[in-house]
Amino acid sequence: MTTKHYFKIHSGARAHLKKRGEIRKALRVGKLNIIIMVILIIFYLAIFVLLIASLWKIFTKANKPGWACLIPIYNYIVMLEIIGKPWWWLLLFFIPIVNIVFGIWATNLLSKSFGKTEGFTVGLLLFSIIFIPILGLGSAQYVGPAGAKQD
């Protein structure tokens, strides 16, 4: 074995070790990403459970079954009953642009149904994660559809 050949093998081993180091570094970064992802999933699930519990309480405060908040489409029908609007409003939520207007209107009627003001409506629209639990888990009482048409 010549000296020249020995250095070729040696430099190849060095390249292999360098590659193994990069793999280990990549695995460390991968583990960190997994840990971050698991933490984010737990955080997301906690918010999801909080919002479901809040909606459940909103429905029960309005004397509707709490489980109704879990059923897609039916939850909108029940919500329309809570705010005192007919079921066919549900169809308006499928029309582009119109759905935005009626969604904001329905949110305003929901806040009024619990004795809240338009300021609370803005909070529900912009910071739902905070204001839905305030409405459901807080001291707000259901006063009737859209505030029972406050005289």
Side-chain angles (χ1 to χ4, degrees), residues 8-139:
K8 263 190 177 177
I9 294 172
H10 191 269
S11 63
R14 190 178 312 140
H16 177 70
L17 289 174
K18 183 178 178 186
K19 194 179 286 186
R20 279 183 61 192
E22 290 173 1
I23 291 172
R24 284 186 181 158
K25 183 179 177 184
L27 288 175
R28 271 187 262 130
V29 171
K31 287 179 186 177
L32 180 64
N33 287 342
I34 290 172
I35 291 169
I36 291 171
M37 188 171 19
V38 167
I39 290 170
L40 288 175
I41 288 171
I42 291 170
F43 181 71
Y44 173 77
L45 288 175
I47 290 174
F48 181 74
V49 168
L50 175 68
L51 290 175
I52 292 294
S54 300
L55 285 172
W56 192 293
K57 285 293 286 182
I58 288 171
F59 278 48
T60 56
K61 283 181 178 183
N63 297 320
K64 301 293 178 188
W67 55 265
C69 73
L70 302 175
I71 312 297
I73 309 229
Y74 181 63
N75 62 359
Y76 282 103
I77 293 171
V78 174
M79 189 66 75
L80 289 171
E81 290 174 8
I82 290 172
I83 64 174
K85 292 300 171 189
W87 68 268
W88 57 264
W89 262 41
L90 179 69
L91 301 175
L92 298 173
F93 289 112
F94 292 107
I95 302 171
I97 309 300
V98 174
N99 61 358
I100 296 170
V101 173
F102 277 84
I104 292 170
W105 191 0
T107 303
N108 185 35
L109 293 174
L110 178 66
S111 67
K112 287 187 175 198
S113 296
F114 282 88
K116 303 293 183 181
T117 64
E118 288 79 11
F120 197 84
T121 300
V122 172
L124 276 172
L125 291 169
L126 299 178
F127 304 106
S128 301
I129 293 174
I130 298 168
F131 280 80
I132 289 175
I134 290 173
L135 193 62
L137 304 175
S139 61

